[in-house]
Amino acid sequence: MSKTLFKKLMVTHLVVILISIAVLGVFLSQLMKNYFLNTKEDELTTKGQEISSITAQYLKGELNEDTTRYIINSLERFVDARVWVVDKNGLIRMVSRGSQCGRGRMMMRQGFQLPPEETNRVLNGETVKQVGESPHFTEPMVSVAVPIVDRAAGRHEVIGAVFLHAPVTGVTVTLQKVYTFLIIATLVAVILAGLLAVYLSKAISNPLHQITAAALAMAKGDYQTRVKVQSSDEVGELAASFNYMGDKLSETIDALHQEKSKIESLIMSLGEGVIATDRTGTVVRVNTMARKLMQFAEDPIGRNIKECCSGGVAEIIQKVLEEGIGKSATLKKENITVLALASPIKDSRENISGTVCVLQDISEAEKLEQMRKDFVSDVSHELRTPLTAIRGYNEALSDGTVEDPEIRQKYHNIIREETQRLERLIHDLLDLSRLQSGKISLELEPLDVGAVIRSTVEKLEPQINIKGIAVELDIPQNIPYIMGNEDRLVQLLIILLDNAVRYTDAGGKIFVSVGDVGLKGVEIAITDTGKGIPKEDIPFIWERFYKVDKSRTRTGAGTGLGLAIARQIVELHHGTIEVESELGRGTTFKIVFPLAES
Ligand SMILES: Nc1ncnc2c1ncn2[C@@H]1O[C@H](COP(=O)(O)OP(=O)(O)OP(=O)(O)O)[C@@H](O)[C@H]1O
Ligand SMILES: [Mg+2]
C-alpha cells in the first residue's frame, strides 16, 4: 500500500512541480527577452537620436568624413551596434567598421543602395524598430532606424537616416543562464518532492497499516484490538473512529453473546426435548431433555438425523424438509412414550432453512389416559354383573314361569343381595374418590389402638365363627396411643379382616397383634392362614378393581376396591402398610401408625 501511496504522491508532486516550472520558465524567458530587447531598442534609439545631428552635418557637408567615421566607430564600440548612415535616397553613405567585415552577411560598404521597403518609413520621419532575422546579417539583430532631420533656419526636412544594428546574442546568453537556473531548480524540487512523498506516505501509511492489521484481527474475532491515535488529522480521526467502532462492536457482540447464552440455557433447561437441524437434515442443536429421551448412541451434533435417530423422528424431519409443513409422530420406547412434533424453520423469504423437533414425554399422560379407560371399563364391568343378575331373576319372577314360592323367595333374596352389592360398590367408589381427591383431611386424635381392635373384632366375631375360622388377639398392655381417626381405623380393620376371612377356608385362623416399634410408632399385624397371594400379584393388589382371581366376578365376590381404600386411609394417617404372603400358607398385612405426641 505504501508503495502505491508513495508512487501517487511522487507523481502528483512531480507533475505539479514540472508544470509550475515549465509555465514559470516560458513566462520568465518571454518577459526577460522582451525586457532585454526593449532596453536595447531604447538604447539604440537614444544613441541614434544623439548621433543624428552629427550625421546631419556630415550629409550637408559641414563635417568632414574622417571625424564622422571616427564618431560612428566609437559609437559601434560603446553600444556594440553596427551603424549605417543613409541619405534621403536610401543610399548608404557611411558604415561603421564592424559592418565592413565580421558578422555582416555581405560586405557592407558605402554606395550600397538599400531597398525602398527598408527606408520608406524612416525617410518619412518615423523612428522604426525591428527585431529578428535580417537579410544583411547572419544572426538575428535588434535594428533601429532614426531619421536625420535638417532643422537649420526653421526647416524640418528629413535628409537621411541612421541605422543601428545590434546582435541579439547577448539576450540569448542571458536567457540560457535563466534556463540553466530553472533546470537546477527543477532537479532540486524533484529531489525534495521525492523526500516529501516518502515522508508523507510513511506518515499516512503507517497508521493505515496499523488500522488494516487491527481490522484483520477483528475479523478473526479479536474485538479488543485498538490502534494508537497519533495525530489529530484525518488519519487520526480515522483511527479514533476505528477504535470507537471496535468499542461498539465488542459491546454489541457481548450483548449478542449474553442473549445467545440466555436462549441457549433456556433451550437446554426446557422440560421438552428439542432437536434442530439445518436444511440438509444435519443436527445443529440438541438439548438435555432430547438426549435423555432419544438415548443417542453417539453425539448427534454435526451428523445427519437419519444416522442418529431411529425411525419416527428422522422420518418426520425428512418429510418436513420435503413438504415444508409440520408433522408429528408418537414413538414407543421401552417404558416411555414420546410425542415428536416437527416444524419447518423458514427465513424471511419463506424458504425452509431447517427444522425444529419438540419431543414430549407423554408416558405419564398416556398412563393416566389408560387408567381412565381401565377405570371406565372396570366400573362398567362391575356394574354390569349385578345388573345382569337382577334383570335375569326379575324377568323370571315377573313372567310367571317360576311358581314355586321357595324358589321365588330365593330369587327375591338374590335380587336384594345384588342390589346391596351395587350400593356397596357405589359407596366404595365414592369413598375412594373422596379419599384420593386430596381434598379431605382426617381429624386425627390420640387413640388407643388396642381398644379399637378389640371392639371391631368383637362385632365381626359371630360372622367369622360362622365360617369356621378362629380369631386370636395379642394386644399387650401399655401400648402407646397413636394419632388416628377412629371411624377410618375401624373401616381399615374391617377391610383387612374381611379379606382375611374371605380368602381363608374353614378351619383356618386369623391372628391380630399389636406391637410397639419404638420411634416408628405402633404396628398392627393381621395374619391369616388362608390361600395367600401369588408373588407376581403382590405389587398390584393396591390398585382399584385388582383381583388375583379374575374369574371371580360372579355373584357375591368382592369388587377389588378394599385394599385401594385401605392404602388411602393409611396414607391419610401418615402411616405405612405392607404385605407379606406365601401361596397356600397365609398372608400378613402390617400397618404402622405414628405415635400421638405425649
Ligand atoms: N388376606 C388375603 N389373602 C389372600 N388374598 C388376598 C387377601 N387380601 C386380599 N387379597 C387379594 O387381593 C385382592 C384385592 O383385595 P381387595 O380387598 O382390594 O378386593 P376384594 O376383596 O376382591 O373386594 P372388596 O372390594 O369387596 O374388598 C383380592 O381380590 C384378593 O385376591
Ligand atoms: Mg377385600
Side-chain angles (χ1 to χ4, degrees):
M1 182 182 67
S2 67
K3 266 188 191 165
T4 20
L5 197 64
F6 171 73
K7 263 192 222 158
K8 280 181 187 167
L9 284 170
M10 187 68 190
V11 169
T12 316
H13 286 173
L14 280 185
V15 168
V16 170
I17 287 167
L18 290 178
I19 290 176
S20 316
I21 288 178
V23 169
L24 194 72
V26 170
F27 180 73
L28 258 183
S29 62
Q30 207 55 46
L31 195 77
M32 287 174 90
K33 199 172 166 185
N34 286 345
Y35 171 76
F36 284 125
L37 293 177
N38 286 343
T39 314
K40 198 71 190 171
E41 274 176 1
D42 290 349
E43 188 189 8
L44 294 182
T45 308
T46 315
K47 294 300 168 198
Q49 282 163 352
E50 278 171 13
I51 209 170
S52 71
S53 55
I54 295 167
T55 47
Q57 283 176 18
Y58 164 68
L59 288 178
K60 285 194 284 179
E62 291 166 7
L63 192 65
N64 67 27
E65 192 171 335
D66 287 345
T67 311
T68 312
R69 191 176 299 281
Y70 175 76
I71 290 169
I72 61 168
N73 280 346
S74 305
L75 185 64
E76 182 187 272
R77 263 206 316 281
F78 288 133
V79 294
D80 186 24
R82 319 291 159 251
V83 186
W84 303 343
V85 180
V86 177
D87 67 13
K88 61 178 177 188
N89 299 316
L91 194 74
I92 296 177
R93 294 282 298 274
M94 185 180 284
V95 296
S96 62
R97 193 184 301 137
S99 312
Q100 292 169 344
C101 57
R103 292 182 197 139
R105 185 167 279 176
M106 60 189 78
M107 199 62 147
M108 268 301 162
R109 48 186 165 63
Q110 283 164 268
F112 186 84
Q113 178 69 54
L114 283 170
E117 59 270 19
E118 286 181 40
T119 53
N120 272 353
R121 282 168 59 204
V122 71
L123 290 179
N124 280 333
E126 199 182 320
T127 302
V128 180
K129 297 171 186 177
Q130 198 190 323
V131 178
E133 293 295 331
S134 159
H136 313 297
F137 297 95
T138 53
E139 57 187 311
M141 301 297 270
V142 182
S143 304
V144 171
V146 180
I148 302 170
V149 181
D150 180 14
R151 287 188 174 83
R155 277 195 300 173
H156 191 89
E157 187 189 347
V158 179
I159 54 167
V162 181
F163 281 74
L164 293 106
H165 302 283
V168 179
T169 336
V171 178
T172 318
V173 170
T174 315
L175 280 178
Q176 258 163 11
K177 279 181 190 164
V178 171
Y179 289 144
T180 314
F181 169 76
L182 279 177
I183 286 166
I184 291 168
T186 310
L187 280 177
V188 171
V190 165
I191 291 166
L192 281 178
L195 292 175
L196 203 63
V198 171
Y199 170 76
L200 272 180
S201 68
K202 283 243 178 302
I204 295 171
S205 67
N206 280 353
L208 290 181
H209 269 309
Q210 280 184 27
I211 294 173
T212 311
L216 287 175
M218 260 187 206
K220 284 180 187 156
D222 178 8
Y223 300 106
Q224 302 312 318
T225 316
R226 298 288 180 272
V227 286
K228 245 195 210 165
V229 181
Q230 283 162 329
S231 57
S232 55
D233 56 11
E234 285 84 347
V235 177
E237 258 176 42
L238 178 65
S241 311
F242 181 84
N243 288 344
Y244 180 67
M245 182 191 77
D247 289 346
K248 286 282 152 201
L249 208 59
S250 54
E251 261 174 40
T252 313
I253 283 172
D254 280 352
L256 279 178
H257 272 307
Q258 278 179 13
E259 204 58 35
K260 198 180 158 213
S261 61
K262 257 191 235 164
I263 293 173
E264 196 81 9
S265 48
L266 201 119
I267 292 175
M268 279 300 161
S269 50
L270 269 181
E272 269 85 32
V274 175
I275 301 175
T277 74
D278 64 12
R279 55 200 293 267
T280 63
T282 305
V283 178
V284 290
R285 185 142 292 153
V286 175
N287 75 350
T288 321
M289 194 44 136
R291 283 180 198 273
K292 195 174 146 196
L293 293 175
M294 297 302 292
Q295 304 279 325
F296 298 109
E298 281 175 57
D299 187 6
I301 302 284
R303 298 173 60 208
N304 194 284
I305 190 77
K306 277 188 266 176
E307 295 168 24
C308 45
C309 281
S310 54
V313 173
E315 212 170 88
I316 55 168
I317 286 180
Q318 204 57 40
K319 272 193 189 155
V320 168
L321 285 173
E322 282 162 15
E323 298 168 22
I325 46 172
K327 297 275 169 198
S328 68
T330 310
L331 322 168
K332 293 235 185 267
K333 301 204 150 211
E334 294 137 32
N335 46 5
I336 56 167
T337 310
V338 175
L339 174 66
L341 302 161
S343 329
I345 304 171
K346 293 188 176 172
D347 60 17
S348 52
R349 289 185 193 160
E350 287 292 296
N351 293 327
I352 301 171
S353 59
T355 61
V356 60
C357 182
V358 176
L359 306 167
Q360 281 176 321
D361 179 358
I362 54 163
S363 321
E364 215 40 53
E366 261 218 341
K367 226 185 271 170
L368 278 174
E369 176 61 14
Q370 193 53 46
M371 272 167 74
R372 196 187 59 78
K373 283 182 190 159
D374 291 350
F375 178 72
V376 171
S377 89
D378 286 344
V379 171
S380 346
H381 184 75
E382 292 299 328
L383 289 174
R384 200 180 311 124
T385 316
L387 282 174
T388 314
I390 292 168
R391 202 181 66 189
Y393 288 110
N394 190 36
E395 274 172 12
L397 287 172
S398 55
D399 64 11
T401 46
V402 183
E403 285 169 5
D404 184 345
E406 236 176 73
I407 297 176
R408 287 182 73 91
Q409 186 53 48
K410 194 183 148 199
Y411 283 11
H412 278 297
N413 289 347
I414 292 174
I415 291 174
R416 191 175 52 249
E417 268 171 31
E418 288 303 309
T419 315
Q420 281 168 352
R421 197 161 110 89
L422 268 181
E423 274 176 3
R424 198 156 50 84
L425 171 71
I426 287 161
H427 171 268
D428 283 356
L429 261 182
L430 288 174
D431 198 29
L432 181 62
S433 91
R434 215 176 316 138
L435 289 170
Q436 281 179 330
S437 70
K439 284 180 195 153
I440 111 167
S441 67
L442 299 182
E443 273 183 28
L444 303 179
E445 51 184 357
L447 281 183
D448 176 2
V449 76
V452 179
I453 292 172
R454 252 183 240 116
S455 74
T456 312
V457 171
E458 223 166 80
K459 264 188 259 167
L460 295 176
E461 222 168 358
Q463 288 165 254
I464 299 173
N465 290 341
I466 287 170
K467 211 186 161 186
I469 296 169
V471 185
E472 210 178 287
L473 299 184
D474 174 17
I475 304 172
Q477 297 292 315
N478 307 326
I479 287 292
Y481 278 28
I482 62 152
M483 281 306 279
N485 178 294
E486 193 171 346
D487 292 345
R488 290 295 181 183
L489 188 56
V490 171
Q491 190 186 3
L492 174 69
L493 288 170
I494 292 175
I495 290 171
L496 294 175
L497 287 169
D498 176 63
N499 282 352
V501 174
R502 193 181 295 179
Y503 304 112
T504 304
D505 293 330
K509 247 188 179 177
I510 296 172
F511 187 71
V512 182
S513 70
V514 177
D516 184 352
V517 283
L519 282 177
K520 279 203 250 164
V522 172
E523 184 186 80
I524 303 170
I526 300 172
T527 307
D528 62 57
T529 56
K531 56 197 259 185
I533 307 166
K535 223 178 183 165
E536 61 273 19
D537 289 297
I538 290 182
F540 308 106
I541 56 171
W542 314 102
E543 308 273 331
R544 302 178 294 209
F545 301 113
Y546 193 86
K547 290 166 225 168
V548 173
D549 183 358
K550 314 278 186 302
S551 64
R552 237 179 2 86
T553 49
R554 61 181 193 279
T555 311
T559 56
L561 290 172
L563 287 181
I565 295 172
R567 192 172 62 169
Q568 288 300 322
I569 293 173
V570 173
E571 274 177 16
L572 287 167
H573 278 85
H574 314 294
T576 57
I577 182 166
E578 50 193 49
V579 62
E580 286 165 17
S581 186
E582 208 176 319
L583 207 57
R585 296 207 141 200
T587 308
T588 302
F589 282 92
K590 285 180 181 168
I591 312 135
V592 177
F593 286 106
L595 297 177
E597 284 163 20
S598 49

